[in-house]
């Protein structure tokens, strides 16, 4: 390595769970990256740039408190008004930072961790901080002493909920004895299709003295983001009850109830999209809502729902998650901010708007045997060329245009374009020599719908349909390591199975023959082996697990083994360039925030979205991402030659 010495951020820890070794990756931080690291690119739907703002009920323009590029959000002010704790993704994963509002200066890292730390809440005396972390594998609520001059580790934190469900949005009662929060622990998952598994949640209260847990709400949809009144007699929250909520339009209104759950009543009967209520020092309730201009605005009202007024004025920014500010008449919230980067733009239309490459990337991470650089890209499909700094893309999602660019989004050029949306691209991948592209051309994903496997040169020339005689859906092609064969899935028999053929489309051989659905097949670059996901152990469940299939010398199917045993959703597979690792997206860590808060801001239909790496030799599993945004479609290639 050259330049500055790299600093290890977080420890490499290991635990045995089932048959796999789960390891926490190490994240590195410095101004100068290593000269060589593996390249891991994947798509992300995360937004572009948020900052923390100070709003005044006097009508003064919002004041920006943070100015760094990237996402800063979920702010909380200490009871004495001096400290601002907020979440930032400037290191890749969400971390907690603290800002001195009296003396100024740069934000200080509060907890050093490779997992997610988010949703901070101060104890009434200001000595402790509750927050949400994925440190134990899923979203739990933790308690840590508040020491603004130090950087703590998760060994200083106590897990208060330690439950396999997701626990979110903690809030202390005014006497400091109780903690209200939301959780999906007792709620069923609504699987509306194979990739969309909607959850719901309710409000709970934990007594911090005797550890007694009480459930306060039990309603369809989400009851979330509880907040206590100054006298401790009332809890306000948002609820989807009585409204038709979908993942595209997560409707909700502001409700209130007594502190024991009694007398539940709606406060904003006319609202259809309102979240994140909180009490101000004067007893008014502040919350965020989708305004008539299409922007998110901050609104306050009396505790009974009357006398509502907009507190964010005529600002052209959107604002979310308001809470009490450092002094009377002030509110803190996070909102949109113009990006400081001049890099090319990524997807538009709600699919993670913003710069092509997430600010701060690559995020350097240490695995047990190598260093990798994570490249989250705001584009649908992100296939790295094995030999050059090129990434293969489709636009729009599912797209009618195929293009390539550099990994930072620069120098884009169109490779192929359809004038009709009846023909779209999917399942794109490179040959191992980086000279050929294979892709799916077709508009539907049902087994009998017509779609074919096509091949062309990297410049778009020599286009060839490899499956012209197949009356069914041929899709998701992947080259073998020697580029002589292609694995794909096909519905030509009326069900989705795996097939292999020569790279010119000849000698098609069937690999699987069952009622299960197989998807995302990928060839190992170094072995006669295929990875894929399937619901074969639970047909019809809509839950896909990862499998490895060895092929014999004649390509006849050999040993089959199941890689994941989570009974959750997995998908979007890729091998590392040396065949030693698999990378995939997974639901095994659960969700990291209340679904409506995420889905109201950015498109996020899939239940799986965190990236995991699996080492084939010893079954080590490493979680690579811990944020709340949907991520997938990975590729893993070698360092580029200098």
């Amino acid at each position: 390595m050259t330049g500055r010495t790299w600093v290890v951020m977080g420890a490499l820890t290991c635990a045995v769970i089932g048959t796999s070794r789960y390891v926490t990756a190490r994240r590195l931080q410095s101004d100068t990256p290593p000269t060589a690291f593996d390249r891991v690119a994947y798509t992300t739907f995360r937004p572009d740039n948020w900052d923390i703002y100070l709003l005044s009920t006097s009508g003064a323009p919002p004041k920006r408190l943070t100015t760094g590029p990237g996402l800063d959000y979920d702010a909380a002010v200490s009871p004495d008004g001096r400290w601002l704790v907020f979440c930032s993704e400037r290191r890749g994963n969400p971390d907690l930072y603290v800002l001195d509002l009296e003396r100024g200066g740069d934000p200080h890292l509060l907890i050093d961790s490779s997992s997610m730390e988010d949703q901070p809440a101060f104890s009434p005396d200001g000595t402790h901080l509750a927050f949400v972390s994925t440190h134990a594998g899923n979203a739990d609520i933790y308690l840590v002493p508040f020491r603004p001059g130090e950087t703590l580790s998760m060994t200083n934190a106590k897990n208060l909920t330690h439950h396999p469900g997701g626990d979110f949005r903690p809030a202390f009662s005014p006497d400091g004895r109780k903690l209200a929060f939301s959780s999906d622990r007792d709620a069923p998952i609504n699987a509306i299709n194979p990739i969309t598994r909607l959850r719901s949640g309710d409000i709970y209260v934990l007594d911090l003295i005797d550890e007694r847990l009480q459930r306060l709400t039990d309603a369809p949809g989400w009851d979330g983001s509880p907040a206590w009144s100054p006298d401790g007699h009332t809890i306000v929250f948002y609820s989807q009850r009585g409204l038709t909520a979908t993942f595209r339009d997560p409707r909700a209104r502001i409700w209130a109830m007594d502190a024991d759950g009694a007398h539940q009543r709606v406060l904003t009967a006319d609202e259809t999209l309102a979240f994140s209520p909180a009490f101000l020092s004067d007893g008014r309730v502040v919350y965020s809502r989708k305004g008539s201009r299409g922007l998110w605005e901050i609104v306050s009202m009396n505790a009974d729902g009357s006398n509502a007024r907009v507190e964010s004025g005529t600002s052209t920014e959107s604002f979310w998650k308001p809470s009490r500010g450092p002094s009377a008449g002030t509110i803190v919230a996070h909102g949109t901010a113009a990006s400081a980067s001049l890099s090319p733009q990524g997807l538009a239309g709600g699919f993670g708007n913003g710069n092509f490459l997430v600010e701060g990337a690559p995020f350097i991470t240490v695995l047990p045997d190598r260093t990798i650089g994570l490249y989250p890209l705001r584009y649908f499909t992100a296939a790295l060329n094995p030999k050059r700094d090129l990434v293969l893309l489709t636009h729009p999602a599912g797209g009618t245009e195929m293009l390539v660019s550099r990994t930072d989004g620069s120098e884009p050029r169109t490779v192929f374009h359809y004038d009709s949306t009846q023909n779209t691209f999917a399942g794109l991948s490179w040959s191992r020599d980086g000279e050929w592209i294979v892709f799916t051309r077709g508009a539907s994903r049902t087994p009998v719908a017509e779609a074919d496997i096509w091949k062309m040169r990297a410049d778009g020339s020599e286009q060839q349909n490899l499956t012209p005689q197949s009356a069914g859906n041929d899709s998701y092609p992947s080259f073998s390591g020697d580029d002589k064969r292609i694995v794909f899935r096909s519905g030509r028999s009326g069900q989705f199975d795996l097939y292999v053929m020569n790279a010119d489309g000849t000698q098609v051989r069937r690999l699987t023959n069952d009622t299960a659905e197989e998807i995302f097949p990928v060839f190992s670059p170094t072995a006669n082996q295929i990875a894929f996901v399937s619901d074969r152990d639970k047909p019809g469940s809509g839950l896909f697990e990862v499998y490895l299939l060895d092929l014999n010398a004649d390509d006849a199917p050999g040993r089959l083994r199941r890689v994941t045993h989570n009974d959750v959703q997995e998908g979007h597979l890729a091998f590392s360039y040396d065949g030693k690792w698999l990378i995939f997206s997974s639901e095994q860590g659960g969700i990291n925030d209340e679904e409506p808060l995420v889905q109201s801001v950015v498109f996020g239909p899939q239940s799986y979205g965190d990236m995991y790496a699996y080492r084939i030799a010893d079954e080590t599993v490493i979680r690579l991402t811990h944020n709340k945004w949907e991520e997938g479609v990975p590729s893993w290639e070698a360092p580029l030659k200098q």
Side-chain angles (χ1 to χ4, degrees), residues 387-438:
K387 305 298 183 182
R388 290 169 285 172
D389 181 21
L390 287 177
V391 61
L392 184 62
L393 311 162
T394 59
H395 183 72
T400 57
E401 185 176 36
M402 189 186 309
L403 57 147
V404 295
S405 76
R406 295 175 65 89
T407 311
D408 63 3
S410 63
E411 302 177 21
R413 58 182 173 86
T414 299
V415 177
F416 197 7
H417 176 76
Y418 287 127
D419 292 327
S420 171
T421 57
Q422 297 303 309
N423 288 295
T424 59
F425 300 111
L428 286 67
S429 63
W430 293 96
S431 60
R432 295 310 305 164
D433 64 7
E435 298 300 323
W436 291 90
I437 299 168
V438 286

Side-chain angles (χ1 to χ4, degrees), residues 44-47 192-193 195-199 246-250 349-352 380 591 593-609 628-631:
T44 183
F45 287 173
R46 79 176 76 183
I192 63 176
N193 62 48
I195 66 170
T196 305
R197 283 159 51 82
L198 296 179
R199 290 167 172 79
T246 69
F247 69 85
R248 289 289 187 96
D249 187 10
F351 289 77
F380 199 84
I591 56 176
D593 200 355
E594 296 169 350
E595 277 184 338
L597 299 187
V598 178
Q599 294 165 351
S600 64
V601 173
V602 65
F603 179 76
Q606 295 185 161
S607 53
Y608 52 98
K628 61 188 72 176
W629 321 112
E630 180 191 332
E631 295 175 326

